[in-house]
C-alpha cells in the first residue's frame, strides 16, 4: 500500500481484544511495507557500521605506507557512503509510508465504527475520548508501527558491529560485546514507571479534552445561565493537572535519556583506555583501536532506536487500547454474528410492517403511527432500536408482561427476540447499508454540518421527494429567508446559502425543521422521528404535522411525541408504559378510554387523576385550541 493508494478499499476486521493485539494486527497488515523498510534500514545501518572498519583500514594503510590499501579504502568509503545515503533516503520514505498508512487504516476503522454505531457511540464512549483517539492516538499508533522496522534494522547492525569487532580486534570486541547489551537493557527497569506516568498524563489530557469539548458544545447554554466561568475554572484545574503529570513523565524520560548518554560515554572511555594499553603493549595496531573507537561512537546512533522503540511502545500501547475499546463496540450481539457471516441476509420485500418484539410496538406498513412514552429516555432508546441501532445491554421488558397482544400474535421472532423486525426480517441481521437505506431515524438533537443548503440535502434518496416539497412540509420558508439575508452579495438562491458549523447561527427550531426536511427528502421506506417539533410553536407544529402526513402518505412513518397536534394527525397511536405496549387506538379514543394516556398527553396532576381526570369535551377543546392557536 502506497500513500497515493489511500484510502484502503477495505481496512479489514481488526483484532480489538487488547491494545497489543491491535498493534500486532496492524503490523501483520503491513508486512510488505515493513519488509521494505527493514531492507532499506539494514542497508543504511550496515553502511554506518562499515565506516569504522574502513577508517581503521585507512589508518593501517597510512602507517604501513600501502598505496594499494589506501585505494581500496577509498573505494570502500565510496560504497559505504552510497549505501548510507540511499539507504537513509529510502528508509525515511518507507517508514513515513508505514506511519501514514497505519494511521489512515486506524482512522478508516474508527470512521466505519462511528457510522455503524451512530449516536449510540457517545452513550458508550465520551465524546472527548473519541476525539482523542481519532487525532493524537492515531499518530502515536502510527509512530510505533513505523518504528518497528527501523528498530529491527538497528538491532541487526548492532549485532553486526559486535560480531565484526570480535573477529577484527577480539580483545576490544569482547569489551564492546559485553558493554552494548548492558547499555541496551539498562533502561528496562525504568520503563514500567515511565509508562505508568505517561498513561496518567494521557488519561488526564483525555479528560481535559473531553471537558473542553463538552464546554464548547454547550457554550450557548452556559452563557445563558452564566456558567462559563465555572467551566473555565474546571478546565483550568484540569489543564494544570495535565501540566503536572507531563512534568513528572518528562522527568522519568529525561532520566532514561541520561542513562543512554552516560553509559555509552563510559563504554567509549573504557575502550579508549583499554585499547591504548593494548597498543602500547603492541598487542593491537593503531588502526584497530581507531576502528573500535569509531564503532562504539557510531553505535550511539543505533542505540537511540532502542530508546525510541521503548518510548513508541509505551506511548502507543494505551492509545491502541483506547482505539481497541472503541473498535470492539457492537450494536448488538446479532450485529457481531452478522459480521462473522459470509452469506448476507436478503432485504425484506417492500411494504412490510415494522415490529419491535421487546415492547410489542407494531407500525403497519404505509401508516402514520404515533408513539407516546411517559419516559423520554425510553423514547430515545426505542427510536434507536427501531432503526436497528440498539447497543448491547439495552434493557429488556419486565418478565411476565404482555408485550402488545394485538400486534404480537403470529409475528415471527416475537418470543424474546431482541432485534426489530421489518417485514419479518431482523434489522440487525441485514447489512448495515441495507438497514440504513430501509429505516431512517432522526433523533431529537439532529446535527447540521457546515456547507450550503444544497449540500445539506445532497443525501442518499429515492428521488421521489424534491427539496422544495420537503422544505415546504417542514415549514422552512422563514429559514430560507434568514439564510438568504445573511448570505454574501451575489447569492440569489437560498439553496446556495451557507450554514455555519452545526447550524449555530440558526435557532433551535430552525435547525430542527431543516433536519426534518433533510429526513423527508431521503424518502426511506420507514421514517422514525423522535420529537421532531419540540422546538417550534404550536401554530407551526400543526402545519408541520399536516405536511408530514401529506408528504409521507402511503409510506411507513413512526413519530415519538406527546404533542396532541401530532397525535391527532396519526392514523394510530400507541401508548408505551412500563417498557411495553399498554394501549392502541386513535388520539381521541385514547383520551376517552385510557387514563395513563391522558396523564402523559394533557399533563394531568395527581389530584386531577384522583378526581377522574378532565372531561372528554374539555380534552377535545384543548386540542382544537392548540390547532387554532
Amino acid at each position: 500500500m502506497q500513500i497515493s493508494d489511500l484510502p484502503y478499499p477495505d481496512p479489514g476486521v481488526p483484532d480489538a481484544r487488547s491494545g497489543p493485539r491491535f498493534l500486532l494486527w496492524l503490523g501483520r497488515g503491513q508486512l510488505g511495507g515493513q519488509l521494505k523498510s527493514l531492507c532499506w534500514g539494514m542497508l543504511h545501518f550496515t553502511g554506518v557500521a562499515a565506516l569504522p572498519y574502513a577508517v581503521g583500514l585507512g589508518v593501517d594503510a597510512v602507517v604501513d605506507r600501502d598505496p594499494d590499501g589506501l585505494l581500496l579504502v577509498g573505494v570502500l568509503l565510496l560504497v559505504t557512503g552510497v549505501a548510507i545515503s540511499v539507504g537513509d533516503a529510502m528508509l525515511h520514505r518507507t517508514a513515513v509510508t508505514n506511519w501514514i498508512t497505519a494511521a489512515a487504516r486506524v482512522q478508516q476503522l474508527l470512521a466505519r465504527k462511528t457510522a455503524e454505531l451512530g449516536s449510540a457511540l457517545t452513550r458508550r464512549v465520551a465524546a472527548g475520548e473519541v476525539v482523542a483517539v481519532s487525532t493524537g492516538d492515531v499518530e502515536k499508533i502510527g509512530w510505533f508501527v513505523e518504528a518497528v522496522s527501523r528498530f529491527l534494522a538497528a538491532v541487526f547492525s548492532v549485532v553486526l558491529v559486535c560480531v565484526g569487532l570480535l573477529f577484527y580486534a577480539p580483545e576490544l570486541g569482547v569489551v564492546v560485546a559485553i558493554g552494548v547489551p548492558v547499555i541496551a537493557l539498562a533502561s528496562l527497569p525504568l520503563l514500567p514507571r515511565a509508562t505508568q506516568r505517561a498513561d496518567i498524563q494521557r488519561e488526564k489530557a483525555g479528560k481535559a479534552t473531553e471537558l473542553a469539548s463538552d464546554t464548547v458544545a454547550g457554550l450557548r447554554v452556559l452563557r445563558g445561565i452564566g456558567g462559563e466561568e465555572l467551566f473555565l475554572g474546571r478546565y483550568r484545574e484540569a489543564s494544570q493537572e495535565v501540566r503536572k503529570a507531563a512534568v513528572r513523565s518528562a522527568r522519568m524520560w529525561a532520566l532514561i535519556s541520561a542513562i543512554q548518554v552516560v553509559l555509552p560515554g563510559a563504554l567509549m572511555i573504557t575502550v579508549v583506555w583499554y585499547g591504548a594499553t593494548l597498543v602500547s603493549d603492541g598487542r593491537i595496531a593503531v588502526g584497530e583501536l581507531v576502528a573500535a573507537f569509531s564503532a562504539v561512537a557510531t553505535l550511539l546512533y543505533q542505540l537511540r532506536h532502542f530508546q525510541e522503540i521503548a518510548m513508541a511502545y509505551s506511548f502507543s500501547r494505551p492509545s491502541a487500547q483506547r482505539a481497541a475499546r472503541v473498535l470492539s463496540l457492537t450494536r448488538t450481539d446479532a450485529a457481531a454474528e452478522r459480521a462473522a457471516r459470509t452469506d448476507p441476509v436478503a432485504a425484506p420485500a417492500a411494504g412490510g410492517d415494522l415490529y419491535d418484539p421487546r415492547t410489542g410496538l407494531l407500525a403497519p406498513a404505509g401508516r402514520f403511527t404515533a408513539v407516546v412514552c411517559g419516559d423520554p429516555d425510553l423514547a430515545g432508546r426505542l427510536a434507536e432500536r427501531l432503526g436497528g441501532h440498539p447497543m448491547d445491554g439495552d434493557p429488556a421488558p419486565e418478565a411476565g408482561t404482555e408485550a402488545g397482544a394485538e400486534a404480537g400474535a403470529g409475528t415471527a421472532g416475537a418470543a424474546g427476540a431482541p432485534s426489530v423486525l421489518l417485514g419479518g426480517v431482523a434489522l440487525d441481521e441485514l447489512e448495515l447499508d441495507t438497514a440504513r437505506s430501509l429505516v431512517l431515524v432522526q433523533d431529537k438533537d439532529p446535527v447540521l454540518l457546515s456547507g450550503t443548503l444544497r449540500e445539506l440535502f445532497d443525501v442518499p434518496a429515492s428521488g421521489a421527494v424534491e427539496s422544495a416539497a420537503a422544505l415546504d412540509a417542514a415549514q422552512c420558508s422563514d429559514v430560507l429567508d434568514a439564510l438568504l439575508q445573511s448570505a454574501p452579495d451575489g447569492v440569489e438562491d437560498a439553496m446556495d446559502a451557507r450554514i455555519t458549523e452545526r447550524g449555530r447561527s440558526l435557532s433551535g427550531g430552525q435547525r430542527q425543521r431543516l433536519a426534518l426536511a433533510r429526513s423527508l427528502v431521503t424518502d426511506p421506506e420507514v421514517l422514525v422521528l423522535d420529537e421532531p417539533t419540540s422546538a417550534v410553536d404550536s401554530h407551526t407544529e400543526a402545519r408541520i404535522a399536516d405536511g408530514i402526513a401529506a408528504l409521507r402518505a402511503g409510506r411507513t412513518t413512526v413519530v415519538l411525541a406527546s404533542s396532541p397536534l401530532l397525535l391527532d394527525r396519526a392514523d394510530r397511536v400507541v401508548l408505551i408504559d412500563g417498557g411495553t405496549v399498554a394501549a392502541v387506538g386513535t388520539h381521541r379514543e385514547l383520551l376517552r378510554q385510557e387514563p395513563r394516556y391522558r396523564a402523559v398527553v394533557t399533563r394531568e396532576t395527581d389530584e386531577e387523576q384522583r378526581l377522574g381526570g378532565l372531561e372528554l369535551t374539555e380534552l377535545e377543546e384543548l386540542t382544537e385550541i392548540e390547532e387554532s392557536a
Side-chain angles (χ1 to χ4, degrees):
M1 174 64 70
Q2 299 296 321
I3 296 177
S4 59
D5 298 328
L6 294 174
Y8 286 92
D10 180 11
V13 180
D15 185 349
R17 288 176 290 177
S18 66
R21 287 179 182 272
F22 181 60
L23 291 174
L24 180 61
W25 177 83
L26 278 177
R28 289 202 308 266
Q30 295 185 200
L31 285 179
Q34 295 284 5
L35 288 176
K36 288 181 182 179
S37 186
L38 176 61
C39 292
W40 289 117
M42 291 171 64
L43 177 63
H44 170 65
F45 287 120
T46 299
V48 174
L51 277 178
Y53 302 105
V55 172
L57 291 175
V59 171
D60 288 338
V62 171
V63 172
D64 297 339
R65 299 180 181 276
D66 182 6
D68 294 335
L70 280 177
L71 180 61
L72 178 62
V73 168
V75 173
L76 182 59
L77 287 175
L78 178 62
V79 172
T80 55
V82 172
I84 292 173
S85 301
V86 174
D88 188 27
M90 297 305 298
L91 172 62
H92 178 75
R93 179 185 178 90
T94 54
V96 171
T97 299
N98 289 336
W99 186 334
I100 293 177
T101 51
R105 186 191 295 270
V106 177
Q107 287 179 326
Q108 282 187 247
L109 290 170
L110 291 171
R112 185 174 68 182
K113 181 59 65 173
T114 302
E116 175 186 341
L117 300 179
S119 61
L121 174 63
T122 53
R123 292 203 298 266
R124 299 285 293 274
V125 182
E129 183 171 352
V130 176
V131 173
V133 171
S134 59
T135 54
D137 286 341
V138 167
E139 182 179 356
K140 294 181 179 66
I141 292 171
W143 176 27
F144 174 74
V145 171
E146 69 88 13
V148 170
S149 54
R150 289 190 290 110
F151 166 70
L152 294 177
V155 170
F156 171 79
S157 67
V158 167
V159 173
L160 186 64
V161 168
C162 292
V163 173
L165 280 177
L166 287 174
F167 285 95
Y168 184 71
E171 293 172 299
L172 288 177
V174 170
V175 176
V176 175
I178 295 175
V180 168
V182 172
I183 295 172
L185 301 177
S187 301
L188 287 181
L190 300 177
L191 286 178
R193 180 171 295 183
T195 302
Q196 182 182 16
R197 292 188 178 184
D199 290 347
I200 293 174
Q201 175 198 348
R202 281 186 291 275
E203 180 182 357
K204 292 183 178 296
K207 290 181 178 179
T209 302
E210 178 183 347
L211 180 60
S213 176
D214 294 342
T215 302
V216 171
L219 189 59
R220 175 176 294 184
V221 177
L222 291 176
R223 286 176 175 173
I225 63 176
E228 63 267 29
E229 288 298 329
L230 174 62
F231 275 79
L232 180 61
R234 291 181 180 177
Y235 180 75
R236 186 181 295 110
E237 293 176 2
S239 179
Q240 290 301 314
E241 290 294 327
V242 174
R243 181 187 63 80
K244 294 176 182 178
V247 170
R248 295 184 72 246
S249 178
R251 287 173 179 169
M252 184 58 65
W253 288 111
L255 177 59
I256 293 176
S257 298
I259 291 175
Q260 294 294 326
V261 172
V262 172
L263 292 183
L267 177 61
M268 291 179 64
I269 293 174
T270 301
V271 168
V272 171
W273 173 79
Y274 183 55
T277 302
L278 295 177
V279 170
S280 64
D281 293 342
R283 296 163 61 182
I284 63 172
V286 175
E288 293 175 332
L289 173 60
V290 172
F293 173 79
S294 301
V296 174
T298 56
L299 280 179
L300 299 181
Y301 172 57
Q302 287 94 319
L303 288 174
R304 282 205 300 269
H305 291 80
F306 286 68
Q307 179 185 357
E308 182 191 11
I309 195 66
M311 293 182 65
Y313 180 73
S314 65
F315 278 87
S316 65
R317 184 184 58 79
S319 296
Q321 186 65 42
R322 282 193 291 269
R325 183 165 60 249
V326 174
L327 295 174
S328 63
L329 296 175
T330 58
R331 294 190 295 157
T332 60
D333 292 334
E337 294 173 1
R338 183 206 68 223
R341 280 199 307 265
T342 56
D343 298 329
V345 175
D353 296 341
L354 183 70
Y355 177 66
D356 177 23
R358 287 198 174 184
T359 61
L361 171 64
L362 175 69
R367 304 283 297 279
F368 184 174
T369 302
V371 181
V372 176
C373 297
D375 182 3
D377 292 334
L378 174 61
R381 293 196 301 270
L382 178 59
E384 291 290 337
R385 192 160 62 246
L386 291 177
H389 308 162
M391 300 294 289
D392 292 329
D394 204 10
E398 298 178 4
T401 59
E402 184 179 357
E406 63 89 30
T411 305
S419 177
V420 170
L421 306 175
L422 178 61
V425 178
L427 288 178
D428 274 344
E429 295 181 359
L430 296 173
E431 293 294 327
L432 183 61
D433 292 342
T434 304
R436 291 282 172 86
S437 64
L438 292 173
V439 183
L440 174 65
V441 177
Q442 177 181 303
D443 60 27
K444 63 182 64 178
D445 297 312
V447 175
L448 300 181
L449 301 178
S450 59
T452 65
L453 193 58
R454 196 180 306 279
E455 292 170 341
L456 177 68
F457 285 89
D458 185 17
V459 293
S462 67
V465 178
E466 298 293 336
S467 299
L471 289 166
D472 184 61
Q475 300 298 307
C476 294
S477 58
D478 63 316
V479 185
L480 299 180
D481 293 339
L483 288 174
L484 198 55
Q485 289 176 4
S486 61
D489 295 338
V491 177
E492 299 179 356
D493 189 348
M495 297 298 293
D496 296 323
R498 296 194 64 82
I499 301 173
T500 57
E501 181 186 2
R502 300 179 69 90
R504 298 187 189 280
S505 61
L506 303 173
S507 68
Q510 290 174 327
R511 290 197 300 270
Q512 192 175 60
R513 282 178 282 158
L514 281 180
L516 174 60
R518 177 181 57 185
S519 299
L520 293 174
V521 163
T522 61
D523 188 38
E525 182 174 338
V526 179
L527 176 61
V528 180
L529 304 172
D530 185 8
E531 294 288 357
T533 58
S534 59
V536 301
D537 59 82
S538 58
H539 181 63
T540 304
E541 185 178 30
R543 291 189 294 176
I544 290 176
D546 291 333
I548 294 176
L551 197 62
R552 293 287 299 172
R555 307 287 273 170
T556 307
T557 306
V558 180
V559 177
L560 291 93
S562 58
S563 167
L565 295 174
L566 279 173
L567 300 174
D568 198 40
R569 266 68 171 184
D571 297 324
R572 65 199 304 270
V573 180
V574 180
L575 173 65
I576 304 291
D577 186 60
T580 59
V581 171
V584 178
T586 65
H587 170 60
R588 296 176 187 267
E589 289 173 351
L590 293 178
L591 282 177
R592 181 185 301 108
Q593 301 169 4
E594 183 54 62
R596 289 173 295 181
Y597 181 81
R598 288 200 301 270
V600 175
V601 174
T602 65
R603 278 71 169 178
E604 281 185 348
T605 64
D606 293 339
E607 180 66 18
E608 290 171 335
Q609 292 185 50
R610 187 181 66 81
L611 295 175
L614 298 172
E615 295 294 333
L616 176 61
T617 54
E618 297 178 85
L619 296 172
E620 292 177 338
E621 287 176 1
L622 285 175
T623 300
E624 292 172 357
I625 289 172
E626 288 187 348
E627 290 176 351
S628 60

